[in-house]
mmCIF file of all heavy atoms in Angstrom:
data_model
loop_
_atom_site.group_PDB
_atom_site.id
_atom_site.type_symbol
_atom_site.label_atom_id
_atom_site.label_comp_id
_atom_site.label_asym_id
_atom_site.label_seq_id
_atom_site.Cartn_x
_atom_site.Cartn_y
_atom_site.Cartn_z
ATOM 1 N N LEU A 9 1.740 -1.638 -0.889
ATOM 2 C CA LEU A 9 2.895 -1.246 -1.702
ATOM 3 C C LEU A 9 3.529 -0.049 -1.079
ATOM 4 O O LEU A 9 2.848 0.937 -0.740
ATOM 5 C CB LEU A 9 2.428 -0.840 -3.110
ATOM 6 C CG LEU A 9 1.541 -1.813 -3.918
ATOM 7 C CD1 LEU A 9 1.138 -1.148 -5.208
ATOM 8 C CD2 LEU A 9 2.309 -3.108 -4.189
ATOM 9 N N ILE A 10 4.840 -0.084 -0.859
ATOM 10 C CA ILE A 10 5.613 1.140 -0.603
ATOM 11 C C ILE A 10 5.937 1.711 -1.973
ATOM 12 O O ILE A 10 6.642 1.090 -2.741
ATOM 13 C CB ILE A 10 6.848 0.867 0.282
ATOM 14 C CG1 ILE A 10 6.438 0.174 1.596
ATOM 15 C CG2 ILE A 10 7.554 2.170 0.570
ATOM 16 C CD1 ILE A 10 7.557 -0.293 2.438
ATOM 17 N N LYS A 11 5.327 2.856 -2.270
ATOM 18 C CA LYS A 11 5.376 3.384 -3.598
ATOM 19 C C LYS A 11 6.818 3.943 -3.893
ATOM 20 O O LYS A 11 7.608 4.138 -2.936
ATOM 21 C CB LYS A 11 4.321 4.506 -3.733
ATOM 22 C CG LYS A 11 2.904 3.962 -3.729
ATOM 23 C CD LYS A 11 1.928 5.154 -3.753
ATOM 24 C CE LYS A 11 0.477 4.671 -3.776
ATOM 25 N NZ LYS A 11 -0.449 5.806 -3.673
ATOM 26 N N PRO A 12 7.090 4.336 -5.139
ATOM 27 C CA PRO A 12 8.454 4.789 -5.430
ATOM 28 C C PRO A 12 8.889 5.981 -4.548
ATOM 29 O O PRO A 12 10.092 6.002 -4.135
ATOM 30 C CB PRO A 12 8.306 5.258 -6.912
ATOM 31 C CG PRO A 12 7.304 4.296 -7.491
ATOM 32 C CD PRO A 12 6.323 4.124 -6.344
ATOM 33 N N ASP A 13 7.986 6.885 -4.207
ATOM 34 C CA ASP A 13 8.441 7.980 -3.280
ATOM 35 C C ASP A 13 8.844 7.492 -1.942
ATOM 36 O O ASP A 13 9.800 8.011 -1.355
ATOM 37 C CB ASP A 13 7.364 9.100 -3.221
ATOM 38 C CG ASP A 13 5.975 8.622 -2.735
ATOM 39 O OD1 ASP A 13 5.532 7.562 -3.190
ATOM 40 O OD2 ASP A 13 5.410 9.249 -1.850
ATOM 41 N N GLY A 14 8.132 6.509 -1.421
ATOM 42 C CA GLY A 14 8.455 5.931 -0.097
ATOM 43 C C GLY A 14 9.806 5.193 -0.147
ATOM 44 O O GLY A 14 10.640 5.315 0.747
ATOM 45 N N VAL A 15 10.048 4.408 -1.253
ATOM 46 C CA VAL A 15 11.301 3.670 -1.359
ATOM 47 C C VAL A 15 12.424 4.652 -1.515
ATOM 48 O O VAL A 15 13.488 4.560 -0.853
ATOM 49 C CB VAL A 15 11.180 2.710 -2.647
ATOM 50 C CG1 VAL A 15 12.583 2.097 -2.922
ATOM 51 C CG2 VAL A 15 10.137 1.612 -2.400
ATOM 52 N N GLN A 16 12.230 5.664 -2.407
ATOM 53 C CA GLN A 16 13.316 6.630 -2.676
ATOM 54 C C GLN A 16 13.651 7.497 -1.474
ATOM 55 O O GLN A 16 14.810 7.922 -1.305
ATOM 56 C CB GLN A 16 12.948 7.492 -3.910
ATOM 57 C CG GLN A 16 12.932 6.688 -5.211
ATOM 58 C CD GLN A 16 12.245 7.405 -6.351
ATOM 59 O OE1 GLN A 16 12.020 8.591 -6.346
ATOM 60 N NE2 GLN A 16 11.912 6.645 -7.397
ATOM 61 N N ARG A 17 12.657 7.722 -0.628
ATOM 62 C CA ARG A 17 12.898 8.520 0.587
ATOM 63 C C ARG A 17 13.491 7.677 1.710
ATOM 64 O O ARG A 17 13.780 8.246 2.794
ATOM 65 C CB ARG A 17 11.603 9.184 1.039
ATOM 66 C CG ARG A 17 11.167 10.324 0.078
ATOM 67 C CD ARG A 17 9.864 10.941 0.566
ATOM 68 N NE ARG A 17 9.934 11.420 1.907
ATOM 69 C CZ ARG A 17 8.891 11.708 2.685
ATOM 70 N NH1 ARG A 17 7.634 11.537 2.203
ATOM 71 N NH2 ARG A 17 9.054 12.151 3.901
ATOM 72 N N GLY A 18 13.664 6.414 1.491
ATOM 73 C CA GLY A 18 14.274 5.540 2.524
ATOM 74 C C GLY A 18 13.318 5.297 3.710
ATOM 75 O O GLY A 18 13.798 5.121 4.851
ATOM 76 N N LEU A 19 12.038 5.245 3.424
ATOM 77 C CA LEU A 19 11.052 5.051 4.505
ATOM 78 C C LEU A 19 10.607 3.604 4.641
ATOM 79 O O LEU A 19 9.835 3.298 5.561
ATOM 80 C CB LEU A 19 9.790 5.947 4.231
ATOM 81 C CG LEU A 19 10.043 7.467 4.221
ATOM 82 C CD1 LEU A 19 8.782 8.185 3.772
ATOM 83 C CD2 LEU A 19 10.468 7.934 5.605
ATOM 84 N N SER A 20 11.111 2.728 3.797
ATOM 85 C CA SER A 20 10.605 1.353 3.778
ATOM 86 C C SER A 20 10.718 0.693 5.165
ATOM 87 O O SER A 20 9.762 0.080 5.662
ATOM 88 C CB SER A 20 11.351 0.513 2.793
ATOM 89 O OG SER A 20 11.264 1.130 1.502
ATOM 90 N N GLY A 21 11.860 0.775 5.812
ATOM 91 C CA GLY A 21 12.063 0.101 7.085
ATOM 92 C C GLY A 21 11.105 0.621 8.154
ATOM 93 O O GLY A 21 10.478 -0.201 8.865
ATOM 94 N N ARG A 22 10.913 1.918 8.207
ATOM 95 C CA ARG A 22 10.027 2.427 9.268
ATOM 96 C C ARG A 22 8.563 2.088 9.012
ATOM 97 O O ARG A 22 7.785 1.852 9.937
ATOM 98 C CB ARG A 22 10.207 3.940 9.390
ATOM 99 C CG ARG A 22 11.426 4.282 10.239
ATOM 100 C CD ARG A 22 11.513 5.749 10.570
ATOM 101 N NE ARG A 22 12.049 6.454 9.380
ATOM 102 C CZ ARG A 22 12.079 7.781 9.304
ATOM 103 N NH1 ARG A 22 11.661 8.518 10.276
ATOM 104 N NH2 ARG A 22 12.618 8.346 8.209
ATOM 105 N N VAL A 23 8.160 2.047 7.721
ATOM 106 C CA VAL A 23 6.798 1.671 7.377
ATOM 107 C C VAL A 23 6.549 0.184 7.711
ATOM 108 O O VAL A 23 5.562 -0.139 8.357
ATOM 109 C CB VAL A 23 6.530 1.959 5.887
ATOM 110 C CG1 VAL A 23 5.231 1.305 5.423
ATOM 111 C CG2 VAL A 23 6.503 3.465 5.627
ATOM 112 N N ILE A 24 7.501 -0.678 7.335
ATOM 113 C CA ILE A 24 7.335 -2.088 7.603
ATOM 114 C C ILE A 24 7.334 -2.313 9.128
ATOM 115 O O ILE A 24 6.541 -3.117 9.655
ATOM 116 C CB ILE A 24 8.495 -2.905 6.927
ATOM 117 C CG1 ILE A 24 8.367 -2.823 5.401
ATOM 118 C CG2 ILE A 24 8.463 -4.346 7.421
ATOM 119 C CD1 ILE A 24 9.585 -3.260 4.671
ATOM 120 N N GLN A 25 8.164 -1.560 9.875
ATOM 121 C CA GLN A 25 8.212 -1.711 11.339
ATOM 122 C C GLN A 25 6.831 -1.492 11.920
ATOM 123 O O GLN A 25 6.455 -2.212 12.866
ATOM 124 C CB GLN A 25 9.207 -0.719 11.904
ATOM 125 C CG GLN A 25 9.413 -0.862 13.396
ATOM 126 C CD GLN A 25 10.175 -2.121 13.710
ATOM 127 O OE1 GLN A 25 11.327 -2.251 13.303
ATOM 128 N NE2 GLN A 25 9.541 -3.043 14.421
ATOM 129 N N ARG A 26 6.074 -0.501 11.481
ATOM 130 C CA ARG A 26 4.762 -0.222 12.029
ATOM 131 C C ARG A 26 3.821 -1.425 11.894
ATOM 132 O O ARG A 26 3.025 -1.718 12.810
ATOM 133 C CB ARG A 26 4.152 0.986 11.344
ATOM 134 C CG ARG A 26 4.813 2.300 11.716
ATOM 135 C CD ARG A 26 4.164 3.463 11.052
ATOM 136 N NE ARG A 26 4.809 4.696 11.517
ATOM 137 C CZ ARG A 26 4.171 5.833 11.793
ATOM 138 N NH1 ARG A 26 2.885 5.944 11.570
ATOM 139 N NH2 ARG A 26 4.856 6.892 12.185
ATOM 140 N N PHE A 27 3.916 -2.094 10.725
ATOM 141 C CA PHE A 27 3.018 -3.252 10.522
ATOM 142 C C PHE A 27 3.477 -4.414 11.407
ATOM 143 O O PHE A 27 2.624 -5.152 11.910
ATOM 144 C CB PHE A 27 2.980 -3.613 9.032
ATOM 145 C CG PHE A 27 2.367 -2.549 8.167
ATOM 146 C CD1 PHE A 27 3.062 -2.055 7.068
ATOM 147 C CD2 PHE A 27 1.123 -2.048 8.470
ATOM 148 C CE1 PHE A 27 2.498 -1.052 6.285
ATOM 149 C CE2 PHE A 27 0.546 -1.016 7.680
ATOM 150 C CZ PHE A 27 1.243 -0.558 6.572
ATOM 151 N N GLU A 28 4.783 -4.612 11.594
ATOM 152 C CA GLU A 28 5.238 -5.684 12.438
ATOM 153 C C GLU A 28 4.876 -5.362 13.888
ATOM 154 O O GLU A 28 4.437 -6.271 14.668
ATOM 155 C CB GLU A 28 6.753 -5.837 12.336
ATOM 156 C CG GLU A 28 7.166 -6.413 10.982
ATOM 157 C CD GLU A 28 8.646 -6.774 10.962
ATOM 158 O OE1 GLU A 28 9.524 -6.002 11.450
ATOM 159 O OE2 GLU A 28 8.973 -7.843 10.407
ATOM 160 N N ASP A 29 4.984 -4.057 14.288
ATOM 161 C CA ASP A 29 4.674 -3.710 15.672
ATOM 162 C C ASP A 29 3.203 -3.989 16.050
ATOM 163 O O ASP A 29 2.939 -4.387 17.187
ATOM 164 C CB ASP A 29 4.955 -2.205 15.886
ATOM 165 C CG ASP A 29 6.436 -1.840 15.986
ATOM 166 O OD1 ASP A 29 7.250 -2.806 16.130
ATOM 167 O OD2 ASP A 29 6.743 -0.670 15.929
ATOM 168 N N VAL A 30 2.293 -3.852 15.119
ATOM 169 C CA VAL A 30 0.901 -4.017 15.435
ATOM 170 C C VAL A 30 0.539 -5.527 15.413
ATOM 171 O O VAL A 30 -0.563 -5.906 15.832
ATOM 172 C CB VAL A 30 0.015 -3.195 14.497
ATOM 173 C CG1 VAL A 30 -0.258 -3.885 13.164
ATOM 174 C CG2 VAL A 30 -1.338 -2.791 15.170
ATOM 175 N N GLY A 31 1.456 -6.358 14.947
ATOM 176 C CA GLY A 31 1.232 -7.783 15.024
ATOM 177 C C GLY A 31 0.824 -8.414 13.714
ATOM 178 O O GLY A 31 0.465 -9.609 13.656
ATOM 179 N N LEU A 32 0.830 -7.607 12.614
ATOM 180 C CA LEU A 32 0.492 -8.187 11.328
ATOM 181 C C LEU A 32 1.643 -9.083 10.869
ATOM 182 O O LEU A 32 2.820 -8.829 11.140
ATOM 183 C CB LEU A 32 0.266 -7.079 10.296
ATOM 184 C CG LEU A 32 -1.041 -6.366 10.465
ATOM 185 C CD1 LEU A 32 -1.051 -5.011 9.786
ATOM 186 C CD2 LEU A 32 -2.219 -7.234 9.959
#
Side-chain angles (χ1 to χ4, degrees):
L9 307 175
I10 304 174
K11 292 175 177 175
D13 56 314
V15 172
Q16 290 166 17
R17 288 179 56 197
L19 297 173
S20 306
R22 279 188 282 172
V23 167
I24 293 164
Q25 185 70 64
R26 290 180 176 220
F27 295 126
E28 291 188 318
D29 285 347
V30 84
L32 286 161

